[in-house]
Structures are given as structure tokens and as C-alpha cells.
Amino acid sequence: MPVSTVTARAPGRVNLIGEHLDYNGGRCLPIALDLGTITTVSRSTEAKLSSTEARPGWTAYVTGVLASLGVEEPLHVEVTSDLPIGAGLASSAALECSVAMAVDELLGLGRSREELMRACIRAENEYVGVPTGGMDQAASLFSDPGHALLLDFADDSRTPVAFDPGAAGLALLVVDTGVSHALTDGAYAARRADCEAAARALGIPHLARASPEQIRGLPGGRLGRRARHVASEQQRVDAFVTAVGGADWDVAGALMTGSHTSLRDDYEVSYPELDLVVETALERGALGARMTGGGFGGSAIALVPGGVLDDVEGSIRSAFTANGHDAPTLYRVEASRGAAVLRAT
Ligand code: GLA
């Protein structure tokens, strides 16, 4: 008997390090969150989309995925999510991937996860019109619990990297600043265009391929700063993987903080509330902290020893109040599982 209803769940992500490297042909290291989006699709006589989400334009993500998969029959699609929207935690990818997983199962399309990932990226790039790089969809579809996922966009490889700070008495804290970031507002596309211009100037396909000499040889100014972020961030990713592998958490933390500084000063995608989280967390004893995701608002992460966790959280809340910002939302997170079909009936 053909199935008539399928429910699938896809998680959001935080990127531990390697920001704005995916579309530059570099490496990044996200984990999947235990927060995600659940989509139920059923066969229907007329198309109907419903959602508990408050995101304007959310239907374009759904119809974009359906179009990318070449699905034409009418479906009833119902979406619910415990992942905050616009928080830089890849709610768009979670929505796309949950729809793709559910539809593939319902209609027996038999697409591989790789193909579903490509369809989701196409939905976002071509139907929604945001030139994102693919990290979020890969993290949502391919993550394993207890592991970060090393994504290398030079050769499209994906390597799980054991990531369990809890075993060392540390917590990974996510702070949603409440400043809604919208990648559709053009600043993200402008950064990508800067990188493409810098790569063109160097005569290479992707900026992450540039040698240190080439980066140094770029004229100063904006493009030079963008390129410097890409090159230095790439080195930090590799050093971070080594540090985590050796349980050298002090070094891992320092690399996260270095990433933040580079994103703030060279890539210019941070935001006052993100800087406030990072400064406060470090002041109160975090080993490292950084903005995560596209930037211009959204979330920051901090690697925090268990003994100072309550104080770090309380201090971040107080700092927001003292600076006249709305209260942030804090999550203690672990590396969680990737997308899955939950039910097919
Ligand atoms: C957003 C995009 C990703 C990636 C990050 C920055 O999350 O969707 O593709 O470029 O920004 O690292």
C-alpha cells in the first residue's frame, strides 16, 4: 500500500568555526542542534500549505524544494518548528530539508541525501534568491550525534569529527541575541561578491585557494580585508579540528575568539549585540566565544566551563538589560542527529 502521510524532521545548526568559507571553496565545522523543523506531507486533491511559523515568505522555501525535486502533484504540507526563525541557526535549511525528506519518502522518489541536499540548495539559491553556500543543508542532512561535521567545499567531502565538550566538563552555549538577521537583505550577497571579485583579481576560482603570498599581495582596503578573513579562518578551522582531537579546549576556545575578531574587523559582519555576548562570556570565564552563521544579528556561541556556566548566562542577560537590549534566549546545546523520517503511514 502506498503511504499517504509522512512526517520528517530536520535540525538547525550552529557552525563551530569556519564562517563564510563554504561559498569560498573552504572548510567549515557545523554541528546539528536538537532544535528543528517538523514537516508532515500528505497526498491531497488540492495543494495546501500551513505553518505555525511566523516567517514572511516561508512558502517560497517549500514550493522551491518541490519545484527543485520536480514534484507537480498537489500536496498538503504542514510545518511546525521549535527552531527560532532569523536567529542564524539555519531555520531556512531545516525547513527545506524536512520538506525534501518527507516528500521523497511520500512519493517514493528514491533520491539520495546528496540529491536532496542539492535540491534544497537550489531552492534557496534560485527560488528564494539567496546565494548561500550549502553548509546549512549539509549540516542538517548529514550530521551525527556527538560529532561535528567537517565540510570541505574544495572537494565536497564530509568528515565526522568527534565533538563532546561535555566530557571535559564544558558546555556549548548558544545565545540568540533576538536581533533578527535576514540574509535576503543584500549584505550577505555583497560579502560573497567581494570574495568573488578578490578571487577574480587573483585569477583563482575560489578565494580559499589563495596562497598566503597571494593574499598579502592584494591591495589593502575592503577586498584585502575580506580575503584576509577567508585565509586566516581557513587556518583556524584546521587548527580547531586538531585542538578538539587532542582535547586541547583552551586552544579551541582561543581559535573561536580569533574567528570572531576576524569576522568583526576584516569581514565586517558582526553586530553590537553579538560583540556584547562575546565580550561578556570571555570576561566571565568562557574559553572562547564567537558569532555564528551569516552575521548581522542572529546568534553567538561560547565554550564555557561548567563551573562558571550559570554566571556566564546571568551576566549575558544582565549585560543585555544594562545596554537597553531585549532579553536574549540562551540554549545549552550538544551535537545532535541529522534529518530523519519520523513516521510514514
Ligand atoms: C549562512 C549561509 C551559509 C554560510 C553562513 C556563513 O548561514 O546559509 O551558507 O555561508 O551563512 O558561514
Side-chain angles (χ1 to χ4, degrees):
M1 231 182 44
V3 285
S4 59
T5 301
V6 173
T7 300
R9 174 189 175 279
R13 62 96 193 92
V14 287
N15 188 19
L16 298 176
I17 199 156
E19 217 64 82
H20 289 276
L21 289 192
D22 54 359
Y23 56 82
N24 278 306
R27 290 182 281 285
C28 56
L29 190 71
I31 60 168
L33 295 174
D34 196 23
L35 300 161
T37 298
I38 294 180
T39 294
T40 299
V41 289
S42 330
R43 294 173 192 276
S44 170
T45 47
E46 54 175 342
K48 187 171 169 221
L49 308 183
S50 59
S51 169
T52 54
E53 295 203 14
R55 178 202 330 239
W58 70 275
T59 54
Y61 293 90
V62 178
T63 53
V65 170
L66 297 178
S68 290
L69 289 171
V71 171
E72 284 174 358
E73 50 262 75
L75 296 172
H76 185 177
V77 180
E78 248 182 280
V79 178
T80 151
S81 188
D82 60 4
L83 188 61
I85 294 172
L89 302 178
S91 57
S92 307
L95 173 57
E96 293 151 9
C97 295
S98 65
V99 170
M101 290 283 291
V103 168
D104 177 72
E105 180 77 15
L106 178 75
L107 302 180
L109 302 180
R111 304 287 177 88
S112 65
R113 279 190 190 230
E114 183 78 38
E115 290 169 318
L116 296 180
M117 180 186 79
R118 300 264 160 238
C120 291
I121 295 172
R122 214 163 41 244
E124 188 152 326
N125 291 170
E126 290 170 23
Y127 293 86
V128 181
V130 193
T132 49
M135 164 174 74
D136 304 346
Q137 293 80 3
S140 188
L141 284 166
F142 289 101
S143 290
D144 292 325
H147 290 76
L149 189 63
L150 180 63
L151 298 169
D152 190 339
F153 287 83
D155 60 7
D156 284 338
S157 62
R158 293 180 288 268
T159 312
V161 173
F163 181 75
D164 183 13
L170 302 168
L172 186 68
L173 188 63
V174 174
V175 182
D176 171 9
T177 61
V179 179
S180 184
H181 90 142
L183 293 182
T184 35
D185 75 359
Y188 180 93
R191 292 303 177 283
R192 186 168 180 158
D194 281 351
C195 290
E196 285 166 1
R200 259 197 315 277
L202 293 172
I204 50 174
H206 290 297
L207 202 45
R209 304 241 179 115
S211 67
E213 296 71 46
Q214 282 178 311
I215 301 278
R216 274 198 296 275
L218 274 171
R222 202 181 75 230
L223 295 192
R225 288 200 303 279
R226 305 294 187 251
R228 194 161 63 200
H229 165 72
V230 170
S232 66
E233 184 76 348
Q234 185 71 99
Q235 287 172 356
R236 281 186 291 271
V237 173
D238 297 341
F240 186 91
V241 170
T242 306
V244 168
D248 202 344
W249 295 102
D250 288 327
V251 170
L255 290 161
M256 289 168 65
T257 306
S259 168
H260 184 77
T261 307
S262 175
L263 288 159
R264 186 191 61 202
D265 299 344
D266 281 343
Y267 218 66
E268 298 175 282
V269 292
S270 191
Y271 206 79
E273 278 86 334
L274 294 167
D275 297 340
L276 184 62
V277 174
V278 170
E279 283 154 25
T280 309
L282 292 173
E283 244 168 57
R284 308 308 302 177
L287 301 187
R290 60 182 291 273
M291 56 153 282
T292 186
F296 316 107
S299 296
I301 55 175
L303 188 62
V304 187
V308 296
L309 187 54
D310 289 339
D311 180 45
V312 166
E313 290 177 337
S315 300
I316 290 171
R317 290 199 172 95
S318 314
F320 269 58
T321 312
N323 283 274
H325 304 314
D326 289 343
T329 311
L330 278 60
Y331 306 89
R332 298 175 183 186
V333 305
E334 284 173 11
S336 301
R337 69 170 176 159
V341 170
L342 302 181
R343 240 179 344 264
T345 54

